[in-house]
Amino acid sequence: MKLGIPTFGADGGKSGISAYLIEMLKQFAQLGVEGEVLVYPDEEEIFLPRGSHGLRASYVSPTVRKPLPNLIYTQAVLPIRAAAARYDVLFLPAGNRRLPLFSHCPTAGVVHDLASIHVTDKYDSFRMYYITKILPILIRRLDEVITISEFSKNDILNYVGVPESKVHVIPLAVNHDTYYPLAKDECYRLVQEKYGVTEPYFLYISRIEHPGKNHFRLIEAFDLLKELHKVPHQLILAGGDWDRAEEVHRRAQESPYRDDIVFTGFAPTDIIPTLYGGAEALIFPSLFEGFGLPILEAMACGVPVACSRRASLPEVAGDAGLLFEAEDIESIAESMSRLALNDSLRQELREKGLVHAAGYNWRRTAEETLSLLKGLN
C-alpha cells in the first residue's frame, strides 16, 4: 500500500496536529509503511527525520504555505499529484483544516475537532466561513473519517451529518520515551535558569490565543488565588503567539501579580518534559479541545492536572484530574488553591495520572489507523 500524506495544516511542528503527525510518521516508518509525505523543504527534518525508511519526502513549493494559496493547491493540484503518484490511499492528517473536494484514490481524513462551532470569533471571518460552510461539505466527501475523541465524533455526526459507520475514534497517545517522571528539583533548577522563575509554579502549555485558550480567566483566577491565599506560586504560560496574543500579553501586564506571570514563547519539544517535571501542577483551562494532549503528557510525567469541564477534556482526564468550570474564575482559582495547599491531593493525582497515561501509546494509535487505511486499499 502506498500512502500520500500531506503535511498541510500541521503548523510546521508548532501545534497539537503537528505532534500527532510527527508521532504517526515515526510509527509508520517503524511499521514499514511506504508512501510520500508532501512537505515544504524547510520542514522535512521536522516531519521526516533520518531513518524514515519507506516514507520519502516529496517537496511542495513554499509559495503555497499561506492559507489561500494552500487551499487552492489542495483543491486544484493535490488530486492531480495523487493520481500521478498512484497513491493507494490519500491520508489527510489535518482534516479539520485541509481537504480536497475530489480525489482519484480513496481518502481518509483526521478531523481533530470542530472548535469553531463552539468558540465564537475564534478566527477571522474568511476562515470562519470556510470552516463552518465549506469544510463540512469536504468532510462528507471523505471515504473514512478518523477523529480523536468521542466528543469530536458526536460533533461530526450532529453538525456535519457523516454516517456513524464512517466515523472512527482513534485517540491520541503519549510518547513514553519522552514523557516520564523526572527529578523535580533538577527540572525546577533548569527552568529557573532558562526562564527566571523563583517560586513554585503552575504551568499552562498552549499557544497564546484569545479567546479559545481562555488565558484571560486563568490570569484572573491566578490573581484571585494570590490575593486570597498569599501563595508564593508563579504562573508559566508556555506557547507561541497566535491569534490575538497581544491581548493576552496586555492582560497579564494589567495583573497586580504581573511579575509572577512568565511567558516562555514557543517551547521546543526538548524543554517541555522539563517544564512539566518542575511544575506544581498543569492547569488547562481551554474552552475547547478535540483532545487535550498536554493533559496526558503531564500525567505521564507524574504531574497533577486540573482542567476545564469542557468538550473532550473530562473524557481525556478521566478520574485522574481535577475538573473546574472554564468560565468561572472562582472555580479555576479553587482548583489551583487545592493543588497549592494540599500535598496529599497532589500525590493522589500523581499516582492516578501515571496509571491513566500508561494506557495510551502511539504504536496502538498507528496500528489502528493503518488497519483502517488498509481497508480502503
Side-chain angles (χ1 to χ4, degrees), residues 4 32 59 68 75 108 124 157 177 216 220 253 288 299 307 325 327 341 345 353 356-357 363-364:
Y59 293 141
L68 184 57
Q75 301 307 322
D124 59 69
L157 298 179
D177 292 330
F216 272 34
E220 290 165 12
Q253 280 301 307
F288 186 91
M299 288 180 176
C307 66
E325 301 302 327
E327 297 181 344
L341 302 172
L345 175 63
H356 184 65
R363 176 54 60 94
R364 184 166 65 236

PDB file of all heavy atoms in Angstrom, residues 4 32 59 68 75 108 124 157 177 216 220 253 288 299 307 325 327 341 345 353 356-357 363-364:
ATOM      1  N   GLY A   4      -0.251   8.620   0.352  1.00  0.00           N
ATOM      2  CA  GLY A   4       0.094  10.018   0.173  1.00  0.00           C
ATOM      3  C   GLY A   4      -0.295  10.753   1.436  1.00  0.00           C
ATOM      4  O   GLY A   4      -1.429  10.609   1.909  1.00  0.00           O
ATOM      5  N   GLY A  32       7.069  -0.078   8.661  1.00  0.00           N
ATOM      6  CA  GLY A  32       7.377  -0.409   7.277  1.00  0.00           C
ATOM      7  C   GLY A  32       6.407   0.132   6.254  1.00  0.00           C
ATOM      8  O   GLY A  32       6.321  -0.387   5.129  1.00  0.00           O
ATOM      9  N   TYR A  59       8.586  17.307  -2.237  1.00  0.00           N
ATOM     10  CA  TYR A  59       8.564  18.720  -1.868  1.00  0.00           C
ATOM     11  C   TYR A  59       7.411  19.487  -2.507  1.00  0.00           C
ATOM     12  O   TYR A  59       7.017  19.231  -3.645  1.00  0.00           O
ATOM     13  CB  TYR A  59       9.881  19.393  -2.245  1.00  0.00           C
ATOM     14  CG  TYR A  59      11.060  18.897  -1.457  1.00  0.00           C
ATOM     15  CD1 TYR A  59      12.292  18.720  -2.068  1.00  0.00           C
ATOM     16  CD2 TYR A  59      10.952  18.622  -0.093  1.00  0.00           C
ATOM     17  CE1 TYR A  59      13.399  18.263  -1.350  1.00  0.00           C
ATOM     18  CE2 TYR A  59      12.044  18.171   0.628  1.00  0.00           C
ATOM     19  CZ  TYR A  59      13.255  17.988  -0.006  1.00  0.00           C
ATOM     20  OH  TYR A  59      14.329  17.537   0.705  1.00  0.00           O
ATOM     21  N   LEU A  68      -4.678  30.906   1.746  1.00  0.00           N
ATOM     22  CA  LEU A  68      -5.449  30.924   0.500  1.00  0.00           C
ATOM     23  C   LEU A  68      -4.746  30.166  -0.624  1.00  0.00           C
ATOM     24  O   LEU A  68      -5.379  29.302  -1.273  1.00  0.00           O
ATOM     25  CB  LEU A  68      -5.750  32.368   0.080  1.00  0.00           C
ATOM     26  CG  LEU A  68      -6.636  32.501  -1.172  1.00  0.00           C
ATOM     27  CD1 LEU A  68      -7.964  31.773  -0.981  1.00  0.00           C
ATOM     28  CD2 LEU A  68      -6.882  33.986  -1.489  1.00  0.00           C
ATOM     29  N   GLN A  75      -7.177  21.942  -3.584  1.00  0.00           N
ATOM     30  CA  GLN A  75      -8.306  21.609  -4.451  1.00  0.00           C
ATOM     31  C   GLN A  75      -7.878  21.326  -5.889  1.00  0.00           C
ATOM     32  O   GLN A  75      -8.409  20.409  -6.534  1.00  0.00           O
ATOM     33  CB  GLN A  75      -9.334  22.755  -4.448  1.00  0.00           C
ATOM     34  CG  GLN A  75      -9.907  23.088  -3.084  1.00  0.00           C
ATOM     35  CD  GLN A  75     -10.479  21.874  -2.374  1.00  0.00           C
ATOM     36  OE1 GLN A  75     -11.085  21.007  -2.993  1.00  0.00           O
ATOM     37  NE2 GLN A  75     -10.274  21.801  -1.066  1.00  0.00           N
ATOM     38  N   ALA A 108      -8.915   9.210   3.545  1.00  0.00           N
ATOM     39  CA  ALA A 108      -9.232   9.146   4.975  1.00  0.00           C
ATOM     40  C   ALA A 108      -8.674  10.405   5.612  1.00  0.00           C
ATOM     41  O   ALA A 108      -7.502  10.733   5.432  1.00  0.00           O
ATOM     42  CB  ALA A 108      -8.625   7.908   5.622  1.00  0.00           C
ATOM     43  N   ASP A 124     -10.767  34.814  11.942  1.00  0.00           N
ATOM     44  CA  ASP A 124     -11.321  35.902  11.149  1.00  0.00           C
ATOM     45  C   ASP A 124     -12.493  35.394  10.316  1.00  0.00           C
ATOM     46  O   ASP A 124     -12.733  34.191  10.189  1.00  0.00           O
ATOM     47  CB  ASP A 124     -10.241  36.498  10.243  1.00  0.00           C
ATOM     48  CG  ASP A 124      -9.646  35.474   9.288  1.00  0.00           C
ATOM     49  OD1 ASP A 124     -10.354  35.032   8.358  1.00  0.00           O
ATOM     50  OD2 ASP A 124      -8.474  35.097   9.474  1.00  0.00           O
ATOM     51  N   LEU A 157     -20.990  13.782  13.784  1.00  0.00           N
ATOM     52  CA  LEU A 157     -22.288  13.183  13.460  1.00  0.00           C
ATOM     53  C   LEU A 157     -23.386  14.240  13.446  1.00  0.00           C
ATOM     54  O   LEU A 157     -24.220  14.280  12.525  1.00  0.00           O
ATOM     55  CB  LEU A 157     -22.624  12.093  14.478  1.00  0.00           C
ATOM     56  CG  LEU A 157     -21.685  10.886  14.550  1.00  0.00           C
ATOM     57  CD1 LEU A 157     -22.157   9.924  15.642  1.00  0.00           C
ATOM     58  CD2 LEU A 157     -21.617  10.165  13.212  1.00  0.00           C
ATOM     59  N   ASP A 177       8.758   7.473  25.852  1.00  0.00           N
ATOM     60  CA  ASP A 177      10.216   7.643  25.850  1.00  0.00           C
ATOM     61  C   ASP A 177      10.605   9.098  26.108  1.00  0.00           C
ATOM     62  O   ASP A 177      11.745   9.384  26.481  1.00  0.00           O
ATOM     63  CB  ASP A 177      10.810   7.196  24.505  1.00  0.00           C
ATOM     64  CG  ASP A 177      10.686   5.706  24.283  1.00  0.00           C
ATOM     65  OD1 ASP A 177      10.685   4.952  25.280  1.00  0.00           O
ATOM     66  OD2 ASP A 177      10.574   5.285  23.119  1.00  0.00           O
ATOM     67  N   PHE A 216      -7.311  34.701  29.621  1.00  0.00           N
ATOM     68  CA  PHE A 216      -7.800  35.804  30.444  1.00  0.00           C
ATOM     69  C   PHE A 216      -8.302  35.300  31.797  1.00  0.00           C
ATOM     70  O   PHE A 216      -7.925  35.807  32.857  1.00  0.00           O
ATOM     71  CB  PHE A 216      -8.936  36.547  29.727  1.00  0.00           C
ATOM     72  CG  PHE A 216      -8.487  37.661  28.826  1.00  0.00           C
ATOM     73  CD1 PHE A 216      -7.296  37.569  28.128  1.00  0.00           C
ATOM     74  CD2 PHE A 216      -9.264  38.796  28.658  1.00  0.00           C
ATOM     75  CE1 PHE A 216      -6.878  38.591  27.284  1.00  0.00           C
ATOM     76  CE2 PHE A 216      -8.863  39.824  27.813  1.00  0.00           C
ATOM     77  CZ  PHE A 216      -7.672  39.717  27.128  1.00  0.00           C
ATOM     78  N   GLU A 220      -6.957  35.870  35.651  1.00  0.00           N
ATOM     79  CA  GLU A 220      -7.825  36.423  36.695  1.00  0.00           C
ATOM     80  C   GLU A 220      -7.936  35.470  37.885  1.00  0.00           C
ATOM     81  O   GLU A 220      -7.970  35.896  39.050  1.00  0.00           O
ATOM     82  CB  GLU A 220      -9.197  36.734  36.102  1.00  0.00           C
ATOM     83  CG  GLU A 220      -9.165  37.914  35.138  1.00  0.00           C
ATOM     84  CD  GLU A 220     -10.423  38.015  34.278  1.00  0.00           C
ATOM     85  OE1 GLU A 220     -11.405  37.315  34.582  1.00  0.00           O
ATOM     86  OE2 GLU A 220     -10.406  38.801  33.313  1.00  0.00           O
ATOM     87  N   GLN A 253      -0.006  42.087  31.768  1.00  0.00           N
ATOM     88  CA  GLN A 253       0.650  43.290  32.258  1.00  0.00           C
ATOM     89  C   GLN A 253      -0.248  44.098  33.190  1.00  0.00           C
ATOM     90  O   GLN A 253       0.237  44.854  34.037  1.00  0.00           O
ATOM     91  CB  GLN A 253       1.101  44.159  31.081  1.00  0.00           C
ATOM     92  CG  GLN A 253       2.383  43.685  30.437  1.00  0.00           C
ATOM     93  CD  GLN A 253       3.545  43.663  31.425  1.00  0.00           C
ATOM     94  OE1 GLN A 253       3.831  44.650  32.089  1.00  0.00           O
ATOM     95  NE2 GLN A 253       4.199  42.514  31.533  1.00  0.00           N
ATOM     96  N   PHE A 288     -12.096  24.879  24.571  1.00  0.00           N
ATOM     97  CA  PHE A 288     -12.425  23.785  23.656  1.00  0.00           C
ATOM     98  C   PHE A 288     -11.159  23.086  23.195  1.00  0.00           C
ATOM     99  O   PHE A 288     -10.193  23.736  22.799  1.00  0.00           O
ATOM    100  CB  PHE A 288     -13.177  24.298  22.424  1.00  0.00           C
ATOM    101  CG  PHE A 288     -13.641  23.174  21.542  1.00  0.00           C
ATOM    102  CD1 PHE A 288     -14.891  22.610  21.721  1.00  0.00           C
ATOM    103  CD2 PHE A 288     -12.815  22.647  20.568  1.00  0.00           C
ATOM    104  CE1 PHE A 288     -15.303  21.544  20.948  1.00  0.00           C
ATOM    105  CE2 PHE A 288     -13.220  21.585  19.778  1.00  0.00           C
ATOM    106  CZ  PHE A 288     -14.471  21.021  19.966  1.00  0.00           C
ATOM    107  N   MET A 299       0.438  13.992  32.959  1.00  0.00           N
ATOM    108  CA  MET A 299       0.198  12.818  33.802  1.00  0.00           C
ATOM    109  C   MET A 299       1.319  11.800  33.663  1.00  0.00           C
ATOM    110  O   MET A 299       1.765  11.206  34.649  1.00  0.00           O
ATOM    111  CB  MET A 299      -1.145  12.192  33.442  1.00  0.00           C
ATOM    112  CG  MET A 299      -2.351  12.996  33.876  1.00  0.00           C
ATOM    113  SD  MET A 299      -3.906  12.180  33.396  1.00  0.00           S
ATOM    114  CE  MET A 299      -5.107  13.300  34.143  1.00  0.00           C
ATOM    115  N   CYS A 307      -8.182  20.590  34.893  1.00  0.00           N
ATOM    116  CA  CYS A 307      -8.586  21.063  33.570  1.00  0.00           C
ATOM    117  C   CYS A 307     -10.054  21.452  33.571  1.00  0.00           C
ATOM    118  O   CYS A 307     -10.807  21.118  34.482  1.00  0.00           O
ATOM    119  CB  CYS A 307      -8.324  19.999  32.500  1.00  0.00           C
ATOM    120  SG  CYS A 307      -9.312  18.501  32.665  1.00  0.00           S
ATOM    121  N   GLU A 325     -14.969  24.651  36.204  1.00  0.00           N
ATOM    122  CA  GLU A 325     -15.808  25.309  35.203  1.00  0.00           C
ATOM    123  C   GLU A 325     -14.973  26.364  34.477  1.00  0.00           C
ATOM    124  O   GLU A 325     -14.441  27.283  35.107  1.00  0.00           O
ATOM    125  CB  GLU A 325     -17.034  25.950  35.851  1.00  0.00           C
ATOM    126  CG  GLU A 325     -17.927  24.975  36.597  1.00  0.00           C
ATOM    127  CD  GLU A 325     -18.443  23.845  35.725  1.00  0.00           C
ATOM    128  OE1 GLU A 325     -18.661  24.088  34.510  1.00  0.00           O
ATOM    129  OE2 GLU A 325     -18.631  22.727  36.241  1.00  0.00           O
ATOM    130  N   GLU A 327     -15.562  28.894  32.622  1.00  0.00           N
ATOM    131  CA  GLU A 327     -15.952  30.301  32.601  1.00  0.00           C
ATOM    132  C   GLU A 327     -16.147  30.877  34.001  1.00  0.00           C
ATOM    133  O   GLU A 327     -16.608  32.006  34.155  1.00  0.00           O
ATOM    134  CB  GLU A 327     -17.224  30.465  31.761  1.00  0.00           C
ATOM    135  CG  GLU A 327     -16.998  30.082  30.299  1.00  0.00           C
ATOM    136  CD  GLU A 327     -18.234  30.256  29.438  1.00  0.00           C
ATOM    137  OE1 GLU A 327     -19.336  30.370  29.999  1.00  0.00           O
ATOM    138  OE2 GLU A 327     -18.089  30.282  28.199  1.00  0.00           O
ATOM    139  N   LEU A 341      -2.081  23.909  48.143  1.00  0.00           N
ATOM    140  CA  LEU A 341      -2.075  23.795  49.598  1.00  0.00           C
ATOM    141  C   LEU A 341      -2.220  22.372  50.120  1.00  0.00           C
ATOM    142  O   LEU A 341      -2.063  22.149  51.323  1.00  0.00           O
ATOM    143  CB  LEU A 341      -3.197  24.663  50.181  1.00  0.00           C
ATOM    144  CG  LEU A 341      -3.145  26.159  49.825  1.00  0.00           C
ATOM    145  CD1 LEU A 341      -4.404  26.859  50.299  1.00  0.00           C
ATOM    146  CD2 LEU A 341      -1.905  26.802  50.404  1.00  0.00           C
ATOM    147  N   LEU A 345      -3.350  15.575  48.175  1.00  0.00           N
ATOM    148  CA  LEU A 345      -4.117  15.592  46.930  1.00  0.00           C
ATOM    149  C   LEU A 345      -3.186  15.550  45.734  1.00  0.00           C
ATOM    150  O   LEU A 345      -3.430  14.806  44.768  1.00  0.00           O
ATOM    151  CB  LEU A 345      -4.992  16.843  46.871  1.00  0.00           C
ATOM    152  CG  LEU A 345      -5.753  17.046  45.551  1.00  0.00           C
ATOM    153  CD1 LEU A 345      -6.740  15.911  45.306  1.00  0.00           C
ATOM    154  CD2 LEU A 345      -6.471  18.393  45.540  1.00  0.00           C
ATOM    155  N   GLY A 353      -2.663   9.724  37.748  1.00  0.00           N
ATOM    156  CA  GLY A 353      -2.289  10.172  36.414  1.00  0.00           C
ATOM    157  C   GLY A 353      -1.314   9.237  35.733  1.00  0.00           C
ATOM    158  O   GLY A 353      -1.429   8.964  34.525  1.00  0.00           O
ATOM    159  N   HIS A 356      -3.253   6.261  34.524  1.00  0.00           N
ATOM    160  CA  HIS A 356      -4.146   6.636  33.417  1.00  0.00           C
ATOM    161  C   HIS A 356      -3.371   6.826  32.121  1.00  0.00           C
ATOM    162  O   HIS A 356      -3.740   6.293  31.068  1.00  0.00           O
ATOM    163  CB  HIS A 356      -4.890   7.916  33.790  1.00  0.00           C
ATOM    164  CG  HIS A 356      -5.896   8.362  32.789  1.00  0.00           C
ATOM    165  ND1 HIS A 356      -7.030   7.636  32.473  1.00  0.00           N
ATOM    166  CD2 HIS A 356      -5.943   9.483  32.008  1.00  0.00           C
ATOM    167  CE1 HIS A 356      -7.734   8.272  31.556  1.00  0.00           C
ATOM    168  NE2 HIS A 356      -7.089   9.394  31.251  1.00  0.00           N
ATOM    169  N   ALA A 357      -2.276   7.568  32.169  1.00  0.00           N
ATOM    170  CA  ALA A 357      -1.499   7.859  30.954  1.00  0.00           C
ATOM    171  C   ALA A 357      -0.859   6.614  30.376  1.00  0.00           C
ATOM    172  O   ALA A 357      -0.641   6.523  29.156  1.00  0.00           O
ATOM    173  CB  ALA A 357      -0.429   8.907  31.262  1.00  0.00           C
ATOM    174  N   ARG A 363       2.051   3.516  19.317  1.00  0.00           N
ATOM    175  CA  ARG A 363       2.073   2.339  18.450  1.00  0.00           C
ATOM    176  C   ARG A 363       0.650   1.801  18.221  1.00  0.00           C
ATOM    177  O   ARG A 363       0.284   1.470  17.099  1.00  0.00           O
ATOM    178  CB  ARG A 363       2.973   1.251  19.057  1.00  0.00           C
ATOM    179  CG  ARG A 363       3.009  -0.075  18.282  1.00  0.00           C
ATOM    180  CD  ARG A 363       3.388   0.103  16.801  1.00  0.00           C
ATOM    181  NE  ARG A 363       4.679   0.695  16.609  1.00  0.00           N
ATOM    182  CZ  ARG A 363       5.806   0.011  16.434  1.00  0.00           C
ATOM    183  NH1 ARG A 363       5.787  -1.306  16.430  1.00  0.00           N
ATOM    184  NH2 ARG A 363       6.948   0.646  16.249  1.00  0.00           N
ATOM    185  N   ARG A 364      -0.129   1.739  19.276  1.00  0.00           N
ATOM    186  CA  ARG A 364      -1.510   1.264  19.117  1.00  0.00           C
ATOM    187  C   ARG A 364      -2.316   2.226  18.241  1.00  0.00           C
ATOM    188  O   ARG A 364      -3.101   1.792  17.394  1.00  0.00           O
ATOM    189  CB  ARG A 364      -2.179   1.075  20.474  1.00  0.00           C
ATOM    190  CG  ARG A 364      -3.596   0.491  20.337  1.00  0.00           C
ATOM    191  CD  ARG A 364      -4.144  -0.018  21.646  1.00  0.00           C
ATOM    192  NE  ARG A 364      -4.335   1.044  22.614  1.00  0.00           N
ATOM    193  CZ  ARG A 364      -3.795   1.048  23.818  1.00  0.00           C
ATOM    194  NH1 ARG A 364      -2.997   0.071  24.197  1.00  0.00           N
ATOM    195  NH2 ARG A 364      -4.029   2.036  24.647  1.00  0.00           N
TER     196      ARG A 364
END
